[in-house]
Amino acid sequence: ACTTPPGVGAGLDVTVVTEGTQQSVKEAYQGYNLFSYHRPVVTAVEPLLSNSAGGLPVTVHGRDFGTTDSNPTVFVGSTACSRTLYVADNKLVCVTPPGGGHDLNVRAQVDGQSSLGLDVFSYLAPTVRYVEPPSGPVTGKTLVTIVGSHFGRSAAARPEGIIAGAACVDTKWVSDSQVECTAPPGADLFARHHVLVRVQGVVSAEVSDAQYTYVEAQGAQGV
């Protein structure tokens, strides 16, 4: 009988040592399966939400992650976490990657073995509440403050403002709830155009309180 040592992995070689002679079980017992440890199991994830820019530490609970750090990887959907930190045999920490979607599968991979995971994680899309000022010259270059939420935890999120379907000339991240957009040149004078924010490919929904109007350049200050 053999008392197995702690470990992880699948398809491991088993060696029987008899009187100083080593003989691989693969060679001695052709047709038999090689030894595997239990695959990792994910039992809980917290928190269950992140903004689309990612960068949020998420704790993954479970078992069989390894008694030592075997460089595990946590996946959110099909994307590996930006960083996976080993804490213990029953706990990992995932720094969420940028992304989008709802009820995404969270799974752990340890030494080639992957858990089934849980379909529990969702990304929060950016939202826009209002803009200031609500109008500017058709020539563009007006500095427009866009207020909302889920624009990212840092400038690394690279949010992008959009006015009337055109990307802002420049978008500056200020906080998770504010960005500054240099308005692009426009058209359709006096029409109300939706203002959106895109973060890592995920675009905010149109809202009536976040619209921008292009006016004649000489009349911009009076509108």
Side-chain angles (χ1 to χ4, degrees):
C2 168
T3 302
T4 58
V8 294
L12 303 176
D13 289 334
V14 177
T15 301
V16 177
V17 180
T18 304
E19 296 181 354
T21 300
Q22 295 187 355
Q23 185 173 2
S24 170
V25 70
K26 185 184 293 186
E27 297 175 354
Y29 304 101
Q30 292 291 338
Y32 282 79
N33 292 327
L34 299 177
F35 183 79
S36 297
Y37 286 96
H38 291 305
R39 67 194 302 177
V41 176
V42 173
T43 58
V45 178
E46 58 178 351
L48 299 177
L49 296 171
S50 172
N51 62 46
S52 55
L56 178 73
V58 171
T59 300
V60 178
H61 299 277
R63 62 179 182 272
D64 297 322
F65 297 148
T67 55
T68 59
D69 186 355
S70 299
N71 295 317
T73 302
V74 173
F75 289 82
V76 178
S78 60
T79 306
C81 294
S82 299
R83 188 179 180 189
T84 300
L85 305 176
Y86 171 86
V87 180
D89 184 56
N90 61 356
K91 183 185 294 186
L92 303 173
V93 174
C94 156
V95 179
T96 55
H102 298 276
D103 299 325
L104 299 176
N105 184 270
V106 178
R107 62 185 176 89
Q109 182 173 295
V110 181
D111 200 15
Q113 287 186 302
S114 182
S115 68
L116 295 178
L118 300 174
D119 298 330
V120 295
F121 194 80
S122 298
Y123 283 97
L124 295 168
T127 61
V128 176
R129 292 174 52 208
Y130 65 89
V131 299
E132 181 63 38
S135 64
V138 70
T139 51
K141 297 184 180 180
T142 301
L143 186 63
V144 180
T145 298
I146 305 174
V147 178
S149 58
H150 311 310
F151 297 155
R153 295 163 60 89
S154 71
R158 300 179 66 183
E160 184 179 33
I162 302 170
I163 298 178
C168 296
V169 175
D170 180 64
T171 302
K172 178 183 177 182
W173 178 89
V174 178
S175 70
D176 186 57
S177 61
Q178 183 175 317
V179 296
E180 292 179 346
C181 155
T182 302
D188 297 329
L189 292 176
F190 303 108
R192 301 184 69 194
H193 303 284
H194 288 289
V195 178
L196 310 173
V197 171
R198 176 167 48 219
V199 180
Q200 298 294 328
V202 180
V203 182
S204 62
E206 296 178 351
V207 294
S208 59
D209 290 338
Q211 297 190 59
Y212 187 80
T213 303
Y214 284 108
V215 299
E216 291 285 359
Q218 65 271 23
Q221 297 300 321
V223 175

